[in-house]
Amino acid sequence: MASPRVTLVTGCSSGIGLSIAVKLAQDPKKSFRVYATMRNLAKKGDLEKAAGSTLNSTLFILKLDINEEEQIVSVVKEIMKRDGRIDVLVNNAAFGHFGIFEEMSMAHMKSMIDTNTLGTFRLTQEVIRCMKVRRSGRIVNISSITGIIGLPYANVYAATKFALEGLSETLYPELRSFNIWISTISPGPVKTNFLDKMEATQDVAPSSADPKSPSGKLMGAYYGKTWDALLERYQSGEDVANVVLKCLSSAEPLLRYPTSGWVDGYMKERFVDGVGSTAAKNFFEVMKSVSK
C-alpha cells in the first residue's frame, strides 16, 4: 500500500479550506495525511467537528499565519521533521473586498496583497525547495473567476488573483522539469462565510457606503442588476474540494481547472486547452527541450 501523500492546506478555519482539508482527510483509501492550518487556532472548532474521526488520524491542525515568515519556516520544518516530505501544497488562505478602488486605504490594500499574494508566494517558495530535493510534488492554488476576468468593484482582490494566476503560469514549465505540477482552481461564487469575512475586513465607513454618492449609486445599481444571477451560480465548498481531488488524482494535471461550466466558458475564451495562453504553451515546449 502506497504511503499517504503529505498535504499542507492553508486557511482551513472555514469555507473552502475547511472543505478541502476534510475531503482529503476522509478519502476512503486514506491517500492523504493532511496538515490543516489556520491563522487563529481559537477558530478551529468547526474544522474539528467536520473532521470527525479523522482528527489526529489523517488530519492534523497547525497554526500558520502566512504573513509571518518565521511561522512559514517553522511549520514547513515541523512537517518535514514528522514526515520527511511535503507531497502536496494547497494555497487557499485569502480574503476579499468589493468596493470603490480609490476609497481603499493603503493599509487595507497592503493587508490583502500581503495575504493573497506575498504570504502565499513565500510559503510556496519554502515548499518548492523541499519538493525539488525529492523531484516530486503537487501545488494547487485556489484562484477565482476574478483571476480570469476582472469583475467590477473586485479591483484589488482581482489583482491579487491575477497575480496568483501569473505566478502559476510561469512556474508551470519551470517546475515540470523537477516532476512538480502546479495548478490553479477557479471557483465562481461559493456559498461560504467569505462574504461575512469580507464585510468584517472592510475599511471603516467608505464614502461609497452613502447611497447618495455617485459612486455609491453606480455600485448599488451594478449589484442590483447582477446579484441574483450570481446567487443562482452559487456552489458549495465541497464542490470546489471535489475539483481539487480531481486535480490531485490526475497523473498529468492541467494548469487551470474551473469549478463550473460558467467559469469554464470564460476560461475557454481566455486560455487554450487548460494549459494557458499560446505563449505559455510555447514556453513549456522550450523548457521540455532544454531539460532533456
Side-chain angles (χ1 to χ4, degrees), residues 69-85:
E69 185 170 16
E70 288 184 2
Q71 288 188 31
I72 287 174
V73 174
S74 175
V75 165
V76 171
K77 280 185 177 179
E78 175 66 18
I79 296 173
M80 292 296 292
K81 182 179 179 181
R82 292 189 192 188
D83 297 281
R85 68 188 193 280

Side-chain angles (χ1 to χ4, degrees), residues 144-146 148-149 184-189 233 235 243 246 254-275:
S144 167
I145 188 173
T146 62
I148 305 299
I149 56 173
T184 66
I185 309 294
S186 296
R233 294 181 171 90
Q235 294 181 276
V243 178
K246 175 184 176 182
L254 301 174
L255 169 58
R256 290 183 170 91
Y257 286 85
T259 64
S260 69
W262 181 60
V263 178
D264 187 45
Y266 285 109
M267 194 174 286
K268 284 179 177 175
E269 288 179 6
R270 195 170 188 107
F271 302 113
V272 180
D273 299 334
V275 173

Side-chain angles (χ1 to χ4, degrees), residues 2 6 10 51 54-55 105 114 189 266:
V6 179
T10 66
T54 67
L55 187 63
S105 69
D114 284 350
Y266 285 109

Side-chain angles (χ1 to χ4, degrees), residues 185-233:
I185 309 294
S186 296
V190 178
K191 194 171 186 178
T192 66
N193 63 351
F194 179 83
L195 291 177
D196 294 334
K197 284 185 176 180
M198 183 178 68
E199 193 170 301
T201 56
Q202 298 297 298
D203 279 337
V204 177
S207 60
S208 59
D210 180 0
K212 295 180 181 179
S213 75
S215 295
K217 285 181 180 179
L218 188 61
M219 186 170 67
Y222 171 78
Y223 282 121
K225 194 175 181 93
T226 62
W227 196 251
D228 286 345
L230 289 173
L231 292 179
E232 288 175 2
R233 294 181 171 90

Side-chain angles (χ1 to χ4, degrees), residues 71-292:
Q71 288 188 31
I72 287 174
V73 174
S74 175
V75 165
V76 171
K77 280 185 177 179
E78 175 66 18
I79 296 173
M80 292 296 292
K81 182 179 179 181
R82 292 189 192 188
D83 297 281
R85 68 188 193 280
I86 296 176
D87 299 305
V88 178
L89 168 64
V90 181
N91 286 310
N92 168 73
F95 74 93
H97 168 92
F98 291 91
I100 309 300
F101 173 67
E102 67 271 21
E103 294 179 0
M104 192 184 298
S105 69
M106 180 67 79
H108 197 194
M109 286 192 288
K110 186 177 185 304
S111 177
M112 195 180 310
I113 291 168
D114 284 350
T115 299
N116 297 7
T117 57
L118 296 181
T120 295
F121 291 2
R122 181 63 188 91
L123 175 60
T124 303
Q125 285 181 318
E126 200 68 18
V127 172
I128 282 175
R129 293 185 180 114
C130 302
M131 290 179 170
K132 279 189 172 181
V133 172
R134 300 185 69 249
R135 301 186 75 86
S136 176
R138 298 290 182 91
I139 300 169
V140 178
N141 291 327
I142 306 302
S143 181
S144 167
I145 188 173
T146 62
I148 305 299
I149 56 173
L151 294 176
Y153 303 107
N155 41 70
V156 177
Y157 177 67
T160 65
K161 292 302 184 179
F162 267 75
L164 189 62
E165 291 284 344
L167 179 77
S168 303
E169 187 166 306
T170 61
L171 288 178
Y172 186 79
E174 292 180 37
L175 297 179
R176 283 285 299 275
S177 299
F178 296 88
N179 193 33
I180 301 168
W181 299 76
I182 188 167
S183 302
T184 66
I185 309 294
S186 296
V190 178
K191 194 171 186 178
T192 66
N193 63 351
F194 179 83
L195 291 177
D196 294 334
K197 284 185 176 180
M198 183 178 68
E199 193 170 301
T201 56
Q202 298 297 298
D203 279 337
V204 177
S207 60
S208 59
D210 180 0
K212 295 180 181 179
S213 75
S215 295
K217 285 181 180 179
L218 188 61
M219 186 170 67
Y222 171 78
Y223 282 121
K225 194 175 181 93
T226 62
W227 196 251
D228 286 345
L230 289 173
L231 292 179
E232 288 175 2
R233 294 181 171 90
Y234 259 153
Q235 294 181 276
S236 68
E238 186 170 3
D239 291 333
V240 180
N242 286 334
V243 178
V244 171
L245 183 59
K246 175 184 176 182
C247 170
L248 294 177
S249 300
S250 173
E252 296 188 358
L254 301 174
L255 169 58
R256 290 183 170 91
Y257 286 85
T259 64
S260 69
W262 181 60
V263 178
D264 187 45
Y266 285 109
M267 194 174 286
K268 284 179 177 175
E269 288 179 6
R270 195 170 188 107
F271 302 113
V272 180
D273 299 334
V275 173
S277 63
T278 302
K281 293 187 73 174
N282 292 338
F283 295 149
F284 173 61
E285 292 303 321
V286 173
M287 289 296 293
K288 274 205 309 186
S289 70
V290 300
S291 63
K292 291 180 180 178

Side-chain angles (χ1 to χ4, degrees), residues 33-63:
R33 177 178 170 86
V34 179
Y35 289 95
T37 69
M38 63 187 68
R39 181 177 60 85
N40 184 358
L41 289 180
K43 297 182 178 181
K44 66 181 180 178
D46 288 344
L47 176 58
E48 288 179 328
K49 182 178 179 181
S53 62
T54 67
L55 187 63
N56 298 321
S57 173
T58 56
L59 186 147
F60 306 87
I61 300 174
L62 296 177
K63 176 181 173 60

